Amino acid sequence: MLIATFNCNSIRKRMQIFREWLGHHRPDVVALQETKVSDSSFPEKELEEDGWHTVFAGEETGRNGVAVITKHEPDDVSFGFPEDPENTRSRLIHLSYRGHEIVNTYVPQGKSLDAPEFQFKLSWLRRLLDFFDRRFSPQETKLLLTGDLNVAPTEEDVHDSRKVWPHVCHCRGVIDEFHKLTEWGLRDVFRKHIPQSGVYTFWDYRVKNAVDRKLGWRVDHLLATPPLAEISSDCFVDTAMRIKEKPSDHAPVAARFEDFS
DNA sequence: ATGGTGGACAATCCA
């Protein structure tokens, strides 16, 4: 079973290379972030024609937006945090999928350390943990938290930790919240398979030749509870997609699990 | 050098 996460930075702009990617990898689940499209304009039909099931939640303004593409019909779907579903739906989708709980989120970037948006980001990470703790058991649930978490949790996850510190994606506050999630029971599936530093998932468009110069960040994650993490067999960043026409500033990250699909 | 590029929508806002 192959599960991927991809901040596509506009699904409409990325439709051509994304359809090719789906056809090549035939994943079971793809979590998308920053679809940047209202629900009425989501390119549902093309994906359906290729045989995919799609759930999505966007905004009329064209900001944020998340979606999940699946090979089979999901068993259950919910949007946003239960206490505030309307205001949080464009950043969070939860699927029950063939014995797995899959949570796709686009964590707020945070703007700057002194901005109210940064407090919103910290509260988002706390609400994620609260959501999991109320509903799931880390030792029993096959839970995957995936998406653009906007957290580079260690110095191995940014090109120059000391240079960027403190950054909204790489500072004490967000790293502490990330650790609370891992202490609760979520394991970093990427790090299980890729121990070396310098493998990234995001490169700022504004930095010239950022990919070649390895000036990236690892902010897109697949975190799994032990029953799921222990059956992962591989994880990779698909940098091939980055050399296509009109790439996103993020690359897809995918993990394979020895499981039914 | 408070820049740079790309995407949303249609003057700026966000990453």
Side-chain angles (χ1 to χ4, degrees):
Chain A
M1 164 141 147
L2 186 69
I3 305 183
T5 179
F6 179 38
N7 180 324
C8 59
N9 190 4
S10 170
I11 184 60
R12 288 178 292 180
K13 289 278 181 188
R14 237 53 70 191
M15 206 50 189
Q16 194 168 331
I17 57 173
F18 183 57
R19 281 175 90 177
E20 287 171 21
W21 193 91
L22 288 173
H24 182 252
H25 291 278
R26 302 299 303 168
D28 295 84
V29 179
V30 184
L32 296 174
Q33 307 85 36
E34 286 203 270
T35 51
K36 290 188 172 178
V37 65
S38 65
D39 291 348
S40 57
S41 300
F42 192 94
E44 189 178 18
K45 195 163 279 180
E46 294 100 306
L47 293 164
E48 264 175 21
E49 282 168 7
D50 293 345
W52 301 102
H53 294 80
T54 310
V55 295
F56 48 87
E59 292 180 17
E60 287 304 317
T61 57
R63 286 187 192 151
N64 307 321
V66 283
V68 185
I69 317 298
T70 54
K71 194 176 276 182
H72 304 284
E73 174 112 42
D75 301 303
D76 191 44
V77 182
S78 66
F79 300 94
F81 287 118
E83 72 278 9
D84 190 15
E86 274 313 300
N87 291 322
T88 56
R89 61 186 291 284
S90 66
R91 290 180 178 273
L92 184 79
I93 299 178
H94 165 219
L95 297 190
S96 299
Y97 186 76
R98 300 165 80 86
H100 304 75
E101 304 301 328
I102 296 168
V103 174
N104 171 28
T105 187
Y106 174 45
V107 174
Q109 192 262 5
K111 199 178 221 173
S112 65
L113 292 171
D114 56 357
E117 287 87 343
F118 184 69
Q119 295 307 313
F120 181 62
K121 176 181 196 170
L122 293 176
S123 81
W124 194 276
L125 293 165
R126 291 187 197 113
R127 280 188 283 176
L128 274 176
L129 180 54
D130 182 64
F131 179 67
F132 297 153
D133 203 34
R134 285 170 188 271
R135 303 166 78 107
F136 308 124
S137 156
Q139 297 309 322
E140 287 159 33
T141 314
K142 279 185 175 175
L143 169 67
L144 182 76
L145 169 61
T146 191
D148 179 354
L149 303 190
N150 267 313
V151 181
T154 75
E155 63 181 35
E156 324 299 318
D157 299 315
V158 284
H159 54 280
D160 192 335
S161 175
R162 272 170 289 188
K163 195 169 184 176
V164 303
W165 187 280
H167 181 277
V168 285
C169 297
H170 189 63
C171 64
R172 183 48 46 207
V174 296
I175 289 172
D176 284 348
E177 294 305 328
F178 186 94
H179 284 154
K180 286 180 198 166
L181 289 162
T182 58
E183 280 157 20
W184 178 77
L186 290 166
R187 295 188 182 166
D188 189 337
V189 173
F190 176 104
R191 271 287 167 250
K192 173 182 164 183
H193 299 286
I194 307 175
Q196 71 272 25
S197 65
V199 182
Y200 305 124
T201 68
F202 164 77
W203 300 265
D204 195 324
Y205 280 132
R206 295 167 295 186
V207 177
K208 283 268 181 258
N209 304 316
V211 179
D212 293 339
R213 294 161 65 202
K214 304 186 190 304
L215 300 179
W217 302 65
R218 186 176 74 105
V219 293
D220 302 280
H221 296 274
L222 296 116
L223 307 178
T225 51
L228 188 55
E230 70 193 10
I231 59 168
S232 73
S233 57
D234 185 32
C235 186
F236 63 93
V237 180
D238 192 355
T239 48
M241 200 168 189
R242 300 254 342 143
I243 60 173
K244 303 263 184 184
E245 290 289 316
K246 293 176 77 66
S248 170
D249 44 0
H250 295 248
V253 191
R256 200 171 291 283
F257 299 91
E258 298 303 320
D259 218 348
F260 302 105
S261 58

